[in-house]
Amino acid sequence: LAQKMDEASPELVLRVKVLDAEKDDDGYKYKIHTVTNMSNFSEPEMTTCRVYGDLEWLHRCIESQPNRDGIIVPPLPKSPGNSAQTAARQSEPTQHSSGVVLI
């Protein structure tokens, strides 16, 4: 599924892949698979569920980096549509355990 990180590589790597999307009462949830060699992650490989707003936040963060040489950032797919309640909840920032604020 994911390529293993080259342990000899000094570069920090973060690979994020959307595996699946499921619709529930609150909107869509996306199964996200992450592989990294960054030490601030608790596991080098993990899978979690996120809402579309989290994907938008990650995309904005990556796009706003001044030095993205060699980083390929594909465009986000269109949002499948969410209820007003879901959109409001997605706009509230949350604190990730690593100290990163997720919007």
Side-chain angles (χ1 to χ4, degrees):
L1 188 194
Q3 297 174 357
K4 297 293 179 191
M5 298 288 123
D6 178 5
E7 293 181 18
S9 173
E11 293 183 27
L12 296 177
V13 176
L14 176 64
R15 291 189 184 125
V16 179
K17 183 175 183 178
V18 178
L19 300 177
D20 193 19
E22 290 183 12
K23 183 168 175 38
D24 66 11
D25 294 339
D26 292 328
Y28 284 86
K29 299 221 184 317
Y30 298 86
K31 188 182 288 186
I32 309 295
H33 185 76
T34 305
V35 179
T36 186
N37 63 354
M38 296 176 167
S39 62
N40 58 332
F41 282 78
S42 60
E43 299 289 329
E45 190 168 342
M46 61 191 114
T47 302
T48 188
C49 287
R50 297 286 182 206
V51 294
Y52 190 81
D54 294 339
L55 302 178
E56 289 177 312
W57 172 84
L58 178 60
H59 195 266
R60 280 193 313 268
C61 288
I62 295 170
E63 288 283 314
S64 69
Q65 295 300 308
N67 184 6
R68 295 188 302 125
D69 296 343
I71 298 175
I72 300 169
V73 183
L76 282 175
K78 289 186 179 181
S79 173
N82 293 316
S83 68
Q85 180 183 14
T86 302
R89 187 173 45 250
Q90 289 176 352
S91 67
E92 297 174 8
T94 58
Q95 185 78 30
H96 184 270
S97 61
S98 69
V100 173
V101 176
L102 300 178
I103 298 175

